[in-house]
Amino acid sequence: MVKKIIIPLVVFVMSLLSCNDESPTGPKPIDPDKIQGTWQVVKMIETWESESEEVDSLKMFLVIDANQIAFWSYEEFSDCVDYQTSSYTLSGNSLGGEDFEGEVDGDKWNTSLAFDGDNLVITENISESYDGVTETGSFVMVLQPYNGTIPPAD
């Protein structure tokens, strides 16, 4: 009789002890102070209708402050540097602002943030509709903290 009670009790206690704060319970809110700084895109993956492709010819850097993101991008073998800034808000793990979420003429997009170790991961989900057809896609950027000059001298 004692064995019948102890075994379920031990299993229950072990299941409680095996739970941790990293359990997948939905997106984690992002600490606004943790995203502020200078970041270099180290990997970018574009996906459309389940077909993924890594984008590697574009160099990108982001400088994030409390309410604005500055983007620098340039082609690897070009002297042309593109620069733009976008205002944003942060709610949970979602970026808000006209460049990060919205809907225009049936096209919808939203942007979320996550951390993978020290890397910041920015994901933009897109849904485009035209002629009665809807295509879905995403852009995933993996960024590392960056301490150099923008754009790099080399």
Side-chain angles (χ1 to χ4, degrees):
M1 175 72 176
V2 171
K3 214 176 203 183
K4 288 184 179 180
I5 294 174
I6 291 178
I7 291 175
L9 182 61
V10 168
V11 170
F12 174 73
V13 169
M14 292 303 288
S15 70
L16 289 178
L17 293 175
S18 68
C19 291
N20 62 41
D21 292 336
E22 299 298 318
S23 297
T25 57
K28 289 185 174 187
I30 298 296
D31 178 356
D33 293 334
K34 197 171 175 185
I35 66 170
Q36 293 181 33
T38 303
W39 300 88
Q40 177 181 11
V41 176
V42 293
K43 185 175 192 178
M44 187 161 128
I45 299 171
E46 180 179 359
T47 303
W48 284 101
E49 299 300 320
S50 303
E51 296 288 326
S52 295
E53 181 179 336
E54 189 167 340
V55 179
D56 59 4
S57 63
L58 190 66
K59 301 288 185 184
M60 292 182 69
F61 299 88
L62 283 70
V63 176
I64 303 174
D65 67 22
N67 57 10
Q68 179 173 280
I69 299 176
F71 297 89
W72 279 269
S73 63
Y74 66 98
E75 293 288 330
E76 192 168 7
F77 302 106
S78 170
D79 291 336
C80 183
V81 176
D82 184 38
Y83 171 78
Q84 70 179 43
T85 60
S86 297
S87 297
Y88 77 93
T89 59
L90 182 61
S91 177
N93 75 325
S94 298
L95 276 180
E98 74 177 62
D99 290 329
F100 304 108
E101 65 177 349
E103 181 175 355
V104 175
D105 299 328
D107 296 346
K108 300 176 187 178
W109 65 97
N110 63 65
T111 308
S112 61
L113 303 176
F115 277 95
D116 182 9
D118 290 335
N119 293 339
L120 176 61
V121 180
I122 300 176
T123 303
E124 180 182 30
N125 294 302
I126 304 164
S127 172
E128 293 183 349
S129 297
Y130 54 92
D131 296 334
V133 176
T134 300
E135 292 186 354
T136 58
S138 66
F139 291 95
V140 177
M141 292 188 297
V142 178
L143 302 100
Q144 291 180 339
Y146 182 74
N147 293 319
T149 59
I150 301 172
D154 57 342

